[in-house]
Amino acid sequence: MTTDGALARVIRSAAGRTAAAEAETCELCAAPVADAHPHLYDIEAAEVRCVCGPCSVLFAEDGAGEGRYRLVPRRRLRLPPVDTAVLGVPVGLVFFVPRSDGTVTAQGPSPAGAMRWEVDAAAWQRLTAAFPQLASMAPEVEALLVNTVRGLDEHWIVPVDDCFRMVALVRREWRGLSGGDGVWPAVERFFAQLTERS
């Protein structure tokens, strides 16, 4: 999966380039969009697209846009600790995205962008049986976001655009081979600022 387009948009926004943010427009109709605006996930391009409120309504139903686009939901749900070790992903900062075809991908941030692994489908099914909230995740556009780095124990169901923001943050803050002094405090702030919403 290539996330360069999505990451580029998120990096521009996260870097605080106010001029670019003020000029941001809907990628469907070119209308100006507010700072907090809806997103569409383009399944073919594997990118997040900025849209205005009226255009987002066009994609509220599954199958709209011939299934190419999915409206990214706003839901954030904090979960109790989820034993993701059964999924065989050897990193502590990772997000899991279920796909429409039943597969699940795990992605972890790195200085070069997101690293990607395929997750064993049977292991994911066992995990969703133990944590029924995971079965409610919208394919392609919601993710299980986990951070167990440096003693943290954060587990969230979030929109994928939150995950792309986190990947962009790590990419922007990473210094040297180990990440430097700034990356992990920035990640901790990112998680501290997550709030539940439906």
Side-chain angles (χ1 to χ4, degrees), residues 135-180:
S136 73
M137 291 169 51
E140 318 287 351
V141 292
E142 284 189 310
L144 169 62
L145 176 60
V146 176
N147 183 11
T148 57
V149 175
R150 294 172 55 150
L152 294 179
D153 206 9
E154 299 274 356
H155 300 80
W156 290 81
I157 292 175
V158 297
V160 292
D161 51 2
D162 279 348
C163 299
F164 291 149
R165 281 190 315 110
M166 188 262 305
V167 169
L169 171 81
V170 169
R171 191 173 182 183
R172 186 183 72 232
E173 296 293 332
W174 195 276
R175 301 290 181 271
L177 294 175
S178 64

Side-chain angles (χ1 to χ4, degrees), residues 5-196:
L7 289 175
R9 285 183 197 80
V10 173
I11 289 169
R12 282 195 308 268
S13 175
R17 295 182 183 167
T18 55
E22 290 171 359
E24 201 161 25
T25 59
C26 175
E27 293 186 54
L28 297 181
C29 74
V33 295
D35 286 342
H37 55 267
H39 291 113
L40 289 179
Y41 183 72
D42 182 335
I43 294 170
E44 286 181 20
E47 293 181 346
V48 172
R49 309 242 181 241
C50 298
V51 292
C52 64
C55 284
S56 73
V57 173
L58 300 173
F59 298 92
E61 297 294 324
D62 286 342
E66 299 179 350
R68 177 176 175 174
Y69 298 104
R70 295 232 171 112
L71 185 62
V72 177
R74 293 183 32 81
R75 174 175 78 145
R76 285 191 195 131
L77 177 63
R78 187 178 197 133
L79 299 175
V82 177
D83 183 12
T84 56
V86 299
L87 299 176
V89 177
V91 294
L93 181 59
V94 64
F95 58 97
F96 300 90
V97 181
R99 304 292 176 191
S100 299
D101 63 3
T103 62
V104 177
T105 58
Q107 297 180 58
S110 78
M115 301 176 295
R116 180 180 169 169
W117 304 269
E118 294 296 323
V119 173
D120 178 66
W124 179 258
Q125 291 301 321
R126 288 192 296 274
L127 192 63
T128 58
F131 295 91
Q133 301 99 322
L134 299 179
S136 73
M137 291 169 51
E140 318 287 351
V141 292
E142 284 189 310
L144 169 62
L145 176 60
V146 176
N147 183 11
T148 57
V149 175
R150 294 172 55 150
L152 294 179
D153 206 9
E154 299 274 356
H155 300 80
W156 290 81
I157 292 175
V158 297
V160 292
D161 51 2
D162 279 348
C163 299
F164 291 149
R165 281 190 315 110
M166 188 262 305
V167 169
L169 171 81
V170 169
R171 191 173 182 183
R172 186 183 72 232
E173 296 293 332
W174 195 276
R175 301 290 181 271
L177 294 175
S178 64
D181 295 332
V183 68
W184 298 115
V187 168
E188 289 173 16
R189 285 191 300 277
F190 173 88
F191 278 89
Q193 292 168 0
L194 288 180
T195 55
E196 287 195 283

